[in-house]
Amino acid sequence: MSEADTPPDKTTVNIRMTETFLADVDGTWKEFGYNSRSEFIRDALRDAVKHPEFNRADLKAMLAGEAEIREGRTYSSDEVKDKYGLHADAVDEHDE
């Protein structure tokens, strides 16, 4: 096996968290089908490092959108256009 094929060495890192938060973490990694707590935490940290611009507010907005979809509280673009009178043949004042 060449050096390029050798996986990088791993280091153990210890972190402290409340039992309640740890229970939330454990429920989450299991719910999302991760094989282990470590795998889940590595992915979460990798995402935080690779996408620092993605913040908690963005995550909350995405989750709220997912909940809307699951609960059937969404509309097609045609339904929105009909509701607000935005039809393709309508002329925009700004285009004149």
Side-chain angles (χ1 to χ4, degrees):
M1 184 180 281
S2 72
E3 189 174 311
D5 295 331
T6 305
D9 291 335
K10 293 184 180 177
T11 301
T12 299
V13 176
N14 295 311
I15 60 172
R16 291 178 181 265
M17 63 182 72
T18 65
E19 289 290 329
T20 305
F21 184 57
L22 181 59
D24 290 343
V25 169
D26 286 342
T28 302
W29 72 261
K30 291 174 184 174
E31 179 182 332
F32 285 102
Y34 282 87
N35 293 317
S36 68
R37 181 192 292 160
S38 292
E39 180 184 359
F40 171 73
I41 292 172
R42 272 193 303 275
D43 264 5
L45 290 172
R46 190 175 298 114
D47 287 347
V49 169
K50 287 186 176 183
H51 306 285
E53 71 285 353
F54 190 74
N55 61 38
R56 185 171 286 189
D58 294 335
L59 178 59
K60 285 181 179 180
M62 274 181 30
L63 292 173
E66 287 294 320
E68 296 285 318
I69 291 168
R70 269 188 254 118
E71 294 170 12
R73 296 186 312 229
T74 58
Y75 303 95
S76 71
S77 60
D78 288 337
E79 290 170 321
V80 171
K81 288 176 187 176
D82 287 345
K83 182 176 180 175
Y84 294 102
L86 304 172
H87 302 285
D89 55 351
V91 176
D92 188 352
E93 293 176 358
H94 301 291
D95 290 341
E96 294 181 358

